[in-house]
Amino acid sequence: MKNRVLLTGFAIGVFGWAFLLAGIRTPPIPIFDESLYVNGARSLLSGTLDLNPEHPPLAKFFIAAAIKVAGDNAFGWRLAGAGFGALTLVAIFFWTYIL
């Protein structure tokens, strides 16, 4: 039974991540507050002063890591968000299973 629950949680994560990655490059420009976080992540990568210190630095670190891995494009900007969105689905599944 335990293996079945773990396998289901893993499957939810994989399918959720695939769903969140579909169309992730659209639109190819930063929207809403992405421009603030992407510029902050770029400043972290270049080692310059962060122009938006009022925004959470942890999100900028994850976006900077995704940009380093996937490139400075729409896919790279949104990759960390898609990953954490899939992890949220898995966490909610396990939470409801425990309840």
Side-chain angles (χ1 to χ4, degrees):
M1 183 71 173
K2 185 176 181 181
N3 288 337
R4 183 176 173 189
V5 172
L6 292 175
L7 184 62
T8 304
F10 180 74
I12 287 172
V14 169
F15 288 122
W17 198 39
F19 179 77
L20 291 170
L21 288 177
I24 198 168
R25 296 173 193 236
T26 307
I29 56 173
I31 55 172
F32 301 119
D33 61 347
E34 278 182 342
S35 59
L36 301 173
Y37 285 93
V38 170
N39 289 335
R42 287 177 182 152
S43 67
L44 286 174
L45 288 173
S46 66
T48 60
L49 182 65
D50 187 8
L51 299 175
N52 311 51
E54 67 275 3
H55 294 290
L58 187 60
K60 295 176 197 175
F61 286 129
F62 286 126
I63 293 170
I67 287 173
K68 191 148 182 112
V69 169
D72 192 1
N73 52 36
F75 183 75
W77 305 331
R78 299 174 184 137
L79 184 62
F84 282 104
L87 284 175
T88 301
L89 292 173
V90 174
I92 290 172
F93 168 74
F94 285 124
W95 187 20
T96 55
Y97 175 74
I98 290 169
L99 290 176

